[in-house]
Amino acid sequence: MVILSVDYGDARTGLAVCDKLEMLASPVGVIFEKYEPKVLEQVRLAAEKAKAQLIVVGLPRNMDGTFGERAEKCAAFAAKLGEFTGIQTATWDERLTTVSAHRALNEVNVRGKKRKNIVDAVSAVMILEDFLKSRK
């Protein structure tokens, strides 16, 4: 099944997709948009292009497992996305994915503006990889 993952943020939203065999997660890109209806539309277009059958939205829970303001915002976005696209959506715990993405980018010496422009796509890949591992 082709799955699209979304790392939803206030200013940038990272996207990643996996192949039909659910073996490889790849970055799709970053949406540089703050206005939610435009983000929904751009995610819908990416899902259609990839022929995604499921969309997974990262859910940034607190370290103690509780839901904070950001997690509630992401859960609401996932619900709107499901209604807007007609594609089944799910949320996935994304604790520490941004930290892990920054570490991965440190290892390959990606810095500055270039890093800021891709860290959300790398986070989306990590969300999707974790989700795929759980399905095995």
Side-chain angles (χ1 to χ4, degrees), residues 40-61:
L40 288 167
E41 176 61 19
Q42 289 185 38
V43 174
R44 183 187 66 78
L45 290 172
E48 283 181 4
K49 183 177 180 181
K51 296 182 174 71
Q53 298 163 287
L54 175 65
I55 301 173
V56 176
V57 178
L59 189 66
R61 297 175 114 179

Side-chain angles (χ1 to χ4, degrees), residues 39-118:
V39 176
L40 288 167
E41 176 61 19
Q42 289 185 38
V43 174
R44 183 187 66 78
L45 290 172
E48 283 181 4
K49 183 177 180 181
K51 296 182 174 71
Q53 298 163 287
L54 175 65
I55 301 173
V56 176
V57 178
L59 189 66
R61 297 175 114 179
N62 295 324
M63 290 310 293
D64 64 2
T66 61
F67 292 83
E69 182 181 331
R70 187 77 216 153
E72 290 172 7
K73 194 170 187 177
C74 289
F77 178 80
K80 289 176 191 173
L81 189 58
E83 290 175 25
F84 186 73
T85 63
I87 299 171
Q88 179 185 355
T89 60
T91 57
W92 188 254
D93 186 355
E94 65 156 279
R95 279 180 276 191
L96 299 177
T97 55
T98 301
V99 172
S100 297
H102 279 287
R103 282 188 190 137
L105 291 171
N106 276 342
E107 289 179 17
V108 293
N109 203 27
V110 176
R111 306 254 187 254
K113 191 173 184 176
K114 186 175 182 183
R115 173 194 218 121
K116 189 175 181 179
N117 288 342
I118 64 169

